[in-house]
Every structure is written in structure tokens, then in C-alpha cells.
Amino acid sequence: MKAVVSKLHCSSMEEVMVVRRRPHVVNGGGFVVSNCKDDKIVFKIDGCGVLGTKGELVLRDGDGNDLLLIHKKGGVVQALSIHNKWRGYSYDYQGSVKPVFTLRDPKHSCFSITSSIRISVGPGNCYFDVRGYFPDRDCSIIDSTGNVIAKVKEWVGSRDIYKVVIKPSVDKAFVFGVIAVLDYIYGESTSC
């Protein structure tokens, strides 16, 4: 798989990451991602509780550097669409933003034909799908050839902790950008 955000966030072997939700009363919500091996913080995701802006998320590395700015598209066109659209932007080495992915989530209505969440990446026809149900901690991100690139799994005994298994050569920043949007869509720690 080609890196979506950066090659720096790809690993040559499968990794298990632990996600810990932050309550809204502590730092405004969001969640923290750590490596299962050494418990080192790899990513921090801040939602509108921290940012003060509804429909906006920021993914940062363990040192606090911004990696992805994700926001929900609004306006009249969005209101008339059968999908909610989220766009993810990364920062290049000069600090300017560039579009990375678009996530389409069907609005909950009787006109919605499909319940699939589709992620489009960059130029071309590269896409990913989310299958399963995120609130149950049982979903997968699947590439266009049908391969599972990441799987969200329940952490037994806790609702605020879960794990994500990421396949080799997969961009972890991209995976957690998608998970941040899922977290928001289902009204969890990143939403207002």
C-alpha cells in the first residue's frame, strides 16, 4: 500500500495499537493512541471539545505536531446530498495544506440506499470501505481489492479502551484519521 499521509507512519510488520478515550472533562475529549509494545503515545486526536469548532478534528503525532486537519463539509450542496462528506488535509514540508482523503458517510434517512462508509484517496480510483459497526468495536477498513488493512477490536472489560490491529506497510496516520471521523460520526469522544 502506498503511504497516504507519510511513509514515516508505515511499519514493515503488523502492529497493535491501543486507543484510550479522553473524557470531555479532561482536555476537552478526543483520544490518545499508544503502541501496545511499549505504551508510547503515537497519536493524539482532538475534537471540537478542544478546538471549539463543531465538525473539525486534528490528528497530531506523539510530540504534538499537526499531521491531519479533518473537517465536515458544509453548505447548501452538502445539505442536499445523501452523504455527509468529511475531508482530510495534511501539511507539506512548507506548512501548506494538501487534500489527502474524502470520507462519505450516508446520512440516516429513508432515501439512503447504502450504509457503506467509503473513503476516497488522492487522484485516481483508490478507495477504502469501512465494514462493521464502530460503536461495537467490531469494524474493519478494507482496501479496493478486498484486503483488510486495519481492524478495530474490543478491549474486554472497558468501553473507553479498544485496540486497532494494523497490517504491514499501512499508513497509521491515515487509519487513525478515519477512526477519528468514525468516533465523531457515532457521537463518541471527539464530538460535541
Side-chain angles (χ1 to χ4, degrees):
M1 179 181 155
K2 183 182 166 197
V4 178
V5 178
S6 172
K7 291 179 186 178
L8 296 172
H9 305 293
C10 299
S11 175
S12 60
M13 56 189 167
E14 183 174 280
E15 288 189 79
V16 178
M17 311 298 279
V18 177
V19 178
R20 289 178 177 86
R21 292 174 32 166
R22 292 188 318 233
H24 284 283
V25 294
V26 178
N27 296 328
F31 57 90
V32 175
V33 179
S34 58
N35 190 318
C36 195
K37 285 186 234 174
D38 56 10
D39 208 29
K40 179 182 175 195
I41 294 177
V42 181
F43 300 112
K44 299 173 187 174
I45 292 81
D46 292 326
C48 66
V50 173
L51 305 174
T53 306
K54 191 172 184 175
E56 192 167 292
L57 308 166
V58 175
L59 180 127
R60 295 181 170 93
D61 65 14
D63 295 326
N65 300 312
D66 293 350
L67 298 175
L68 280 174
L69 170 63
I70 306 164
H71 65 85
K72 187 176 180 181
K73 189 175 179 179
V76 175
V77 174
Q78 177 72 12
L80 298 174
S81 173
I82 62 168
H83 295 279
N84 287 313
K85 288 188 181 177
W86 291 79
R87 298 202 191 272
Y89 299 90
S90 69
Y91 300 92
D92 66 13
Y93 65 95
Q94 296 176 331
S96 56
V97 294
K98 66 174 189 163
V100 175
F101 69 86
T102 302
L103 184 144
R104 291 183 327 166
D105 167 40
K107 292 179 180 173
H108 304 288
S109 74
C110 59
F111 299 112
S112 181
I113 298 167
T114 177
S115 62
S116 174
I117 295 176
R118 166 97 12 125
I119 305 118
S120 304
V121 176
N125 294 328
C126 184
Y127 68 89
F128 300 86
D129 287 318
V130 176
R131 295 199 186 130
Y133 191 57
F134 179 76
D136 289 343
R137 305 300 185 243
D138 184 22
C139 70
S140 300
I141 301 173
I142 299 169
D143 68 13
S144 56
T145 60
N147 297 316
V148 174
I149 65 163
K151 183 155 184 63
V152 176
K153 294 184 172 186
E154 175 181 43
W155 188 281
V156 179
S158 178
R159 186 81 189 121
D160 293 331
I161 301 173
Y162 56 95
K163 60 184 170 179
V164 180
V165 179
I166 301 175
K167 298 295 182 184
S169 305
V170 172
D171 189 335
K172 294 183 292 273
F174 167 68
V175 168
F176 286 103
V178 171
I179 289 173
V181 176
L182 294 174
D183 186 273
Y184 190 97
I185 288 170
Y186 290 105
E188 297 201 8
S189 63
T190 56
S191 66
C192 295

